[in-house]
Amino acid sequence: MDVNHLNTEEIPSSSSPALLKNVQELAIDGEEPPPIYIRKDSDHKEKKQVPAHEYLSVPIIDVSLLLPTSSGREKEDEMRKLKSALNSWGLFQAIGHSIPKSLLDDIHDVSKQFFDLPIEEKQRYTRSEEDEIVDLQGYGSDTIVSDDQVLDWSDRLYLLIQPQEQQKLRLWPDPPTHFRRTLNEYSVKAGSVAEVILKAMARSIGLEEYSFINQLGEQPMVYARFNYYPPCLRPDLVYGIKAHADGGAITILLQDPEVEGLQVLKDDKWISVPCMPGALLINVADQVQIMSNGIFKSPIHRVVTNKERERLSLAMFYGAKFNKEIEPTAGLINESNPRMFRKVKVKDYLEVFFPKYLQGERAIDWAKV
């Protein structure tokens, strides 16, 4: 879940002309990051950063072993690994997910082709200031909402995948050629992966497999977010995306196949998530932490910048519609495991999520009993 779409009426009228540029423009112009991109002094007291291979390896799960058609000891072992991974890490690298490597390459290629378009061409797809706060569709970067805000060194293209009737197809780029067809094909495949994982997550903790899916509703909200992180002259001072947890149910991330940048907070250390071509990174988000009564953890993560190389990624966000209510699943609550979270309306939760993010706080605490 992104955190960049708050009340545009609060944008300072004295904003520097540099801040009217997208981040890619600043990078192309060779400009030092403006002060609003520089993290605060308190953020400089860094937790230790550790490459994954020097500390703990990010868990790897074979999704093919989570399918109902699989059986035997291997499936039991993989289910235990899934539960452990989402309880201790909140994320895992997914292999055996059945999405062809050629399709992963194609969606990465059309993403790069879009961000390689001239600035003027990309701006045709800029989101309107008149759009509602909850409508994220379109191209852009951070909206400035306060004088003490720290902006992310990234541009992004948000597109609604589901419900289809709410899509704004005028914001779906053309060119690149085949962008729409490729995204539609990828979305169908990724949606199937999300369903398999949500069912397996429920089964791994003794629930009926549709327990989480039923709370999300017959047609959950699905967004695609194409992320572009240009090279940054001050990677020591600027984040691609500041530390946060996602506000939806689960996220499926296709990482850049070559350039690292994603880090997850584990045991008070920032662990770099390695590039793993062909794999998908799956992470729990706040809604599943609530529905699982805290068994599954929504991890804090961030993206660091790179001085020499650009980085691309594609996140697919799955969550309940704004008018839905979510709560801990009844079968997980007993005398030994008391209820940890209240029943909350998704719209109310997201209205808390965005300002909490800017304050460096977790919205999940607001939902606790």
Side-chain angles (χ1 to χ4, degrees):
M1 181 64 62
D2 194 24
V3 291
N4 309 301
H5 307 274
L6 301 174
N7 189 350
T8 55
E9 293 178 358
E10 297 177 16
I11 297 174
S13 59
S14 58
S15 295
S16 160
L19 300 181
L20 301 178
K21 297 181 180 180
N22 287 324
V23 177
Q24 190 174 12
E25 292 180 83
L26 297 175
I28 290 173
D29 293 344
E31 297 182 25
E32 285 272 337
I36 199 167
Y37 290 93
I38 306 299
R39 61 188 194 233
K40 305 297 183 184
D41 290 341
S42 60
D43 297 332
H44 291 185
K45 298 175 182 177
E46 267 294 312
K47 294 178 172 64
K48 186 176 181 182
Q49 298 186 48
V50 186
H53 65 275
E54 292 183 10
Y55 178 61
L56 293 172
S57 296
V58 174
I60 300 173
I61 301 293
D62 186 341
V63 176
S64 68
L65 297 176
L66 306 179
L67 294 168
T69 53
S70 65
S71 60
R73 182 64 177 271
E74 280 189 323
K75 178 175 183 175
E76 293 175 5
D77 289 345
E78 213 66 13
M79 291 291 282
R80 281 193 291 269
K81 283 172 57 181
L82 175 70
K83 178 181 176 181
S84 175
L86 297 183
N87 176 260
S88 59
W89 285 81
L91 52 71
F92 62 89
Q93 301 265 30
I95 61 174
H97 48 67
S98 79
I99 302 181
K101 176 67 162 52
S102 58
L103 180 54
L104 300 182
D105 292 341
D106 287 347
I107 195 69
H108 178 80
D109 288 346
V110 296
S111 175
K112 178 169 173 52
Q113 289 167 25
F114 171 74
F115 287 110
D116 282 347
L117 291 172
I119 297 294
E120 298 76 15
E121 180 72 16
K122 290 194 289 286
Q123 287 176 339
R124 290 173 49 202
Y125 308 104
T126 300
R127 60 179 178 267
S128 168
E129 291 186 5
E130 287 72 38
D131 287 339
E132 295 183 17
I133 294 172
V134 295
D135 188 353
L136 309 176
Q137 298 177 75
Y139 167 69
S141 52
D142 282 359
T143 296
I144 304 169
V145 298
S146 68
D147 291 331
D148 61 352
Q149 183 180 351
V150 178
L151 303 186
D152 295 330
W153 192 257
S154 57
D155 294 331
R156 54 196 73 94
L157 173 68
Y158 253 118
L159 297 173
L160 180 68
I161 304 300
Q162 193 173 283
Q164 288 186 343
E165 64 270 16
Q166 295 178 26
Q167 290 178 343
K168 296 182 177 179
L169 292 178
R170 61 182 173 78
L171 298 174
W172 288 51
D174 182 15
T177 307
H178 308 313
F179 180 96
R180 296 184 182 187
R181 185 191 70 189
T182 304
L183 178 55
N184 280 325
E185 184 179 355
Y186 178 77
S187 300
V188 170
K189 298 284 189 182
S192 297
V193 174
E195 182 175 344
V196 168
I197 291 169
L198 285 165
K199 289 179 178 179
M201 289 166 62
R203 294 198 309 270
S204 75
I205 53 177
L207 297 175
E208 194 278 324
E209 66 176 12
Y210 281 95
S211 295
F212 296 148
I213 290 175
N214 287 342
Q215 283 211 55
L216 293 179
E218 185 175 338
Q219 192 179 57
M221 298 291 290
V222 183
Y223 276 96
R225 189 182 74 194
F226 295 83
N227 305 300
Y228 177 77
Y229 305 95
C232 179
L233 293 177
R234 295 305 305 269
D236 57 321
L237 297 178
V238 176
Y239 290 129
I241 294 182
K242 62 182 72 68
H244 68 287
D246 292 348
I250 64 169
T251 304
I252 297 181
L253 180 72
L254 177 62
Q255 291 210 83
D256 192 292
E258 298 180 357
V259 183
E260 290 185 7
L262 181 65
Q263 297 181 336
V264 60
L265 189 63
K266 176 79 165 71
D267 299 336
D268 213 35
K269 299 180 178 68
W270 285 109
I271 311 299
S272 294
V273 179
C275 299
M276 192 172 176
L280 299 170
L281 188 79
I282 315 294
N283 74 264
V284 170
D286 288 357
Q287 291 175 23
V288 161
Q289 182 166 341
I290 292 171
M291 289 188 283
S292 70
N293 202 39
I295 295 175
F296 298 142
K297 304 298 191 297
S298 177
I300 298 175
H301 51 286
R302 70 183 186 187
V303 174
V304 295
T305 49
N306 188 297
K307 193 171 185 177
E308 283 85 28
R309 302 188 67 181
E310 66 181 14
R311 181 176 178 271
L312 297 162
S313 68
L314 169 58
M316 302 289 293
F317 300 104
Y318 301 83
K321 286 183 177 179
F322 302 119
N323 62 352
K324 294 286 291 184
E325 290 183 325
I326 57 170
E327 64 180 324
T329 305
L332 300 175
I333 301 171
N334 52 50
E335 289 186 6
S336 302
N337 301 286
R339 186 186 187 99
M340 292 182 61
F341 301 99
R342 300 178 286 110
K343 177 186 286 190
V344 295
K345 192 169 184 178
V346 171
K347 184 177 185 296
D348 295 340
Y349 185 79
L350 295 179
E351 287 177 349
V352 171
F353 178 86
F354 294 123
K356 286 283 187 183
Y357 168 84
L358 292 177
Q359 297 164 11
E361 300 175 3
R362 293 290 305 276
I364 199 82
D365 295 332
W366 172 84
K368 287 182 178 178
V369 171

